[in-house]
Amino acid sequence: MVGGRALALLMLLGVLVATLQPCACDTVVIDVIKQFGGVTQSTLHRAVAAAGSHFASGGHKANDEVVVYIGPGTWVVSPQTDDGFDITGITPGPQGRLVIAGAGMNATTLSFSNRHNHTMRGRHVYRLTVRDIHFTRNYPTVSQAKPTFPAIQLGTIKKIGPGFVDVDIHHGFATPQSLYDPCMTHGRFLREFDTDRDDPKLIAPEHCKEWPPLENQQVEWESVTSLSGALWRFHLARPAWVANFTVGNVAGIKSKQCAQAYWFEGGDDIAFHRVKWTKISRGIFRGGINNIHIADTMILRGNKVGGRTPCMSTYGGGPQLSGDFGAGGNYNITVERHYAEGTGDDSVALFSNVENATISDCYIRDSFARGILLVNSSKAKLRNNVVIRCPIFNTSKLGEAEMDSTAELDSTTA
């Protein structure tokens, strides 16, 4: 007679053997345009629901790879009253996978229209790949001026005094009011960029290690007043604060908004491959998500506006990988060959309890905040990253993150 413990072990062994057996699985393609007639909020939701129904039907279908495919073209999702993709409740089998794919990051663009809704979200997300696609927004998210400040906005700094900075918004860029999202109670700052119209750069040492920076610190603003024409006064959070800017330089204007590029809480095995983001790029991983792979991704500044390249790409950062809300933290995290320019916050960030994390072969420049931020993530490995005019900043009290012999040199070399 088989005892209870032995029976339990036999059952577990049976499950493991079944899981490890070769999968007689299929790849099923759900073509959003062909099957649902176009790309809208409704058709995207229906395609994801169809994928969920396929997995839920059981049998070998649960272990299929189901691809929600959006063909070539620029597709504006408007009106948008909900998140672009909601992956909550989609549960592939142990060998199954949901894939959201375009025809290439330079071929398929999804442009969303609501500043309060995420591009993609999900709770308890398992076995998801997003690949070969470009995500953006159809409205301005940043601006600039002389000194003016963006989110994204550009302008030329005209006058500086206690508690204010006057900025002349550059032609074609958004007004400060159009960037202001009342659902956000924080995240409004100015920093100074040079006057290069084709490739603006943050005013900072190329070999930058300090945070906060010794010069060109973030200056927090609370409200704005229109003075005349394109000239705006930014009222600073500290009334006596005199910004250490230079009249005539360009002000990057940051004003965070509620929408995220992606927001996941809980799950396992999530990948972004060959994805491009413009205008919105900040992505959240929370709740102990393990086995995350981000590779060959890009965060780019937008096209020229009024003959000027925007100094900022987005009002937020890039991947934010957090173990704060998971009992065991996050492990098996890989970010490789990630390119980011002019992000409005940390281009890559690892937060508490992230273990077995590697950031390698990334190129990061002119981040409004840190290029790479490590918070209580001393076990992270950094390999061959180039980080320019923004620091790799480690707040861990447990020791420095592990770097190879060339990482610090690489991280400060143009």
Side-chain angles (χ1 to χ4, degrees), residues 10-322:
L10 285 171
M11 292 176 65
L12 177 59
L13 180 61
V15 170
L16 290 172
V17 169
T19 301
L20 294 173
Q21 285 179 340
C23 180
C25 310
D26 296 323
T27 296
V28 177
V29 178
I30 300 173
D31 190 314
V32 175
I33 299 167
K34 290 182 178 179
Q35 293 178 228
F36 297 102
V39 181
T40 66
Q41 176 180 287
S42 174
T43 61
L44 293 176
H45 286 196
R46 289 163 63 194
V48 171
S53 297
H54 183 94
F55 294 127
S57 62
H60 73 86
K61 290 186 176 181
N63 289 315
D64 286 343
E65 178 184 76
V66 179
V67 181
V68 174
Y69 175 72
I70 303 99
T74 297
W75 308 101
V76 179
V77 181
S78 180
Q80 181 193 0
T81 58
D82 201 351
D83 299 321
F85 296 89
D86 190 346
I87 315 299
T88 304
I90 308 299
T91 310
Q95 293 175 285
R97 193 161 199 88
L98 173 63
V99 177
I100 296 174
M105 67 164 67
N106 296 317
T108 299
T109 296
L110 280 185
S111 179
F112 293 91
S113 59
N114 190 324
R115 72 176 61 200
H116 300 300
N117 292 112
H118 306 317
T119 299
M120 185 176 296
R121 73 171 296 156
R123 296 179 186 273
H124 308 296
V125 177
Y126 296 89
R127 295 173 289 284
L128 169 69
T129 294
V130 182
R131 59 174 172 80
D132 301 306
I133 197 164
H134 170 205
F135 294 115
T136 190
R137 297 282 162 150
N138 73 337
Y139 54 86
T141 63
V142 296
S143 184
Q144 61 195 54
K146 298 176 182 177
T148 212
F149 36 122
I152 304 170
Q153 183 169 4
L154 280 181
T156 299
I157 300 168
K158 290 293 188 181
K159 187 177 181 181
I160 300 165
F164 74 88
V165 177
D166 292 347
V167 177
D168 187 15
I169 303 297
H170 290 157
H171 177 71
F173 281 86
T175 66
Q177 288 177 325
S178 68
L179 301 174
Y180 190 94
D181 188 346
C183 87
M184 292 297 295
T185 59
H186 64 282
R188 300 181 180 95
F189 293 92
L190 304 176
R191 286 195 78 185
E192 193 174 21
F193 289 76
D194 68 21
T195 59
D196 190 323
R197 298 174 66 94
D198 298 316
D199 186 22
K201 302 169 187 66
L202 191 70
I203 301 294
E206 200 159 279
H207 310 323
C208 182
K209 293 185 178 181
E210 296 83 9
W211 189 264
L214 300 179
E215 59 178 309
N216 191 19
Q217 295 183 6
Q218 293 191 101
V219 176
E220 186 177 9
W221 61 276
E222 287 188 336
S223 61
V224 293
T225 300
S226 176
L227 299 179
S228 63
L231 187 63
W232 292 78
R233 172 161 294 182
F234 288 84
H235 302 282
L236 307 185
R238 294 190 294 179
W241 198 351
V242 178
N244 60 341
F245 295 160
T246 299
V247 171
N249 275 344
V250 172
I253 305 165
K254 170 179 171 177
S255 182
K256 281 191 174 181
Q257 300 172 11
C258 285
Q260 311 288 341
Y262 47 93
W263 187 96
F264 299 129
E265 184 169 8
D268 185 80
D269 190 1
I270 299 175
F272 285 89
H273 295 162
R274 301 178 300 279
V275 177
K276 178 169 66 177
W277 293 276
T278 55
K279 295 189 177 180
I280 289 184
S281 60
R282 185 174 187 261
I284 306 298
F285 294 91
R286 288 179 176 169
I289 301 174
N290 303 315
N291 302 303
I292 298 170
H293 189 213
I294 299 172
D296 303 303
T297 49
M298 307 182 77
I299 301 172
L300 298 181
R301 297 177 295 191
N303 296 328
K304 284 188 175 183
V305 177
R308 287 182 177 270
T309 299
C311 59
M312 297 170 63
S313 56
T314 66
Y315 55 74
Q320 314 286 299
L321 303 120
S322 174

Side-chain angles (χ1 to χ4, degrees), residues 346-365:
D346 309 313
S347 297
V348 179
L350 303 182
F351 293 93
S352 302
N353 302 324
V354 177
E355 296 200 16
N356 195 20
T358 301
I359 302 173
S360 65
D361 300 304
C362 298
Y363 189 100
I364 297 169
R365 53 165 290 191

